[in-house]
């Protein structure tokens, strides 16, 4: 099969189209003939040598795919409601940038009705991440306010739509007026241009000094101290990436007085059973919203697979709004 390989750690140009043996599914797994592969920030980190591959995972980048089921244990598939030839999308721990990809059956979901494979490939990584962190970990409730750092990212556009669908108020930060406008068009209640405005000041103003209930943070670093200041009583801060650095200094007194929770998680190394539970939660709570059009995939650009370097260059430019997807075989 053809696959995108990381020849050495470095710039986007180190990604090359190569040949690999077609993987074989093991117990509890199936083989997908891939039509489309989602591109995510962890893929960039892996390419630069800053995100080690979990033990046992493929060294081929790519954490989400969509396509058709090519192989798999018939009984295992039947138990999950699948059969050979079904269109599915899947969250994987690696191997997504390839014509064929093995995935745990439990981490596969049917392509939502009405969606293309390109749209479906944009779903698993961001929707699993947002559901797990915003709703499971941070327990965002109807009527609460969520602050999303980086509202125009793949995670951001997903979090905006999911939070609004669940009845929350949404404030986002983004790096340009155009990106702010895109976030508002997706349903955000307020958008803050972090290049021209102080998000801490704006959050206090927009919440009449009360602060927000939940913050979804992909920056960390010096943002964390300001985010602690932005939280309301019993507020929850969830850190899911550290683009701004791993070290932070916070006012611990505020954490005590306001009963704040500062937490975080990474999804890739978690066990199949954990991801399977998220998959079922998404199937129950999110897929119906997608199928009736209440939530829509936001695709910024698609690239044929051999142009993966161009896709990574676009992601690193931060000029995109929404998802970037690679296509195989004319998807």
């Amino acid at each position: 099969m053809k696959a995108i390989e990381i020849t050495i750690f470095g710039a986007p140009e180190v990604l090359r189209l190569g040949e690999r043996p077609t993987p074989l599914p093991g117990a509890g797994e199936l083989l997908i003939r891939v039509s489309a592969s989602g591109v995510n920030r962890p893929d960039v980190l892996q390419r630069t040598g800053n995100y080690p591959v979990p033990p046992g995972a493929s060294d081929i980048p790519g954490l989400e795919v969509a396509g058709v089921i090519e192989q798999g244990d018939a009984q295992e598939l039947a138990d999950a409601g699948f059969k050979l030839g079904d269109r599915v999308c899947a969250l994987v721990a690696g191997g997504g940038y390839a014509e064929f990809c093995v995935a745990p059956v439990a981490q596969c979901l049917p392509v939502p009705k009405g969606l293309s494979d390109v749209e479906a490939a944009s779903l698993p990584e961001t929707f699993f991440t947002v559901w797990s962190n915003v709703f499971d970990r941070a327990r965002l409730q109807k009527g609460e306010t969520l602050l999303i750092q980086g509202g125009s990212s793949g995670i951001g556009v997903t979090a905006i739509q999911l939070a609004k669908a669940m009845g929350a108020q949404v404030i986002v930060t983004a790096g340009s007026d155009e990106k702010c406008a895109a976030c508002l068009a997706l349903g955000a209640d307020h958008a803050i241009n972090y290049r021209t405005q102080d998000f801490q000041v704006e959050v206090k103003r927009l919440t009449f000094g009360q602060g927000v209930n939940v913050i979804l943070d992909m920056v960390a670093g010096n943002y964390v101290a300001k985010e602690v200041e932005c939280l309301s009583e019993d507020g929850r801060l969830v850190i899911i990436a550290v683009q701004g650095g791993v070290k932070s200094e916070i006012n611990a007194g505020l954490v005590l007085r306001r009963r704040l929770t500062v937490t975080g998680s990474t999804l890739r190394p978690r066990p199949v059973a954990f991801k399977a539970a998220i998959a079922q939660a998404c199937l129950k709570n999110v897929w119906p919203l997608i199928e009736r059009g209440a939530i829509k995939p936001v695709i910024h650009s698609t690239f044929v697979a051999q142009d993966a370097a161009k896709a990574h260059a676009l992601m690193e430019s931060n000029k995109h709004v929404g998802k970037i997807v690679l296509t195989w075989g004319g998807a």
Side-chain angles (χ1 to χ4, degrees), residues 1 14 22 40 48 75 131-132 171 252 275 293 314 318 321:
M1 69 172 184
V14 305
T22 301
N40 293 283
T48 57
Q75 188 59 54
W131 186 268
S132 176
I171 302 172
K275 296 173 187 176
L314 174 59
N318 291 318
V321 175

Side-chain angles (χ1 to χ4, degrees), residues 277-289:
I278 302 172
Q280 290 305 306
C282 286
L283 183 63
K284 177 183 176 181
N285 298 295
V286 180
W287 257 227
L289 297 172

Side-chain angles (χ1 to χ4, degrees), residues 151-277:
S152 62
S153 66
I155 292 286
V157 299
T158 298
I160 290 169
Q161 295 186 82
L162 264 179
K164 290 303 297 180
M166 300 299 173
Q169 296 290 302
V170 175
I171 302 172
V172 304
T173 64
S176 70
D177 291 343
E178 293 75 17
K179 287 185 174 182
C180 286
C183 293
L184 293 171
L186 283 169
D189 297 283
H190 304 283
I192 302 164
N193 184 339
Y194 64 78
R195 298 189 190 278
T196 60
Q197 298 170 291
D198 184 322
F199 77 80
Q200 181 182 338
V201 172
E202 288 300 303
V203 165
K204 287 292 188 180
R205 181 182 68 82
L206 293 168
T207 61
F208 304 100
Q210 296 301 302
V212 298
N213 305 102
V214 175
I215 300 175
L216 182 63
D217 178 24
M218 292 167 267
V219 182
N222 61 12
Y223 266 41
V224 177
K226 299 176 72 172
E227 288 166 340
V228 167
E229 299 279 350
C230 288
L231 286 171
S232 65
E233 291 193 351
D234 297 300
R236 292 87 74 195
L237 165 61
V238 186
I239 301 168
I240 61 169
V242 290
Q243 295 176 35
V246 298
K247 294 186 178 180
S248 309
E249 185 174 305
I250 65 171
N251 182 342
L254 277 180
V255 176
L256 299 179
R257 291 194 298 275
R258 296 185 186 166
R259 303 174 302 281
L260 306 181
T261 300
V262 179
T263 185
S265 74
T266 57
L267 185 57
R268 189 178 188 183
R270 299 302 294 271
V272 171
F274 180 84
K275 296 173 187 176

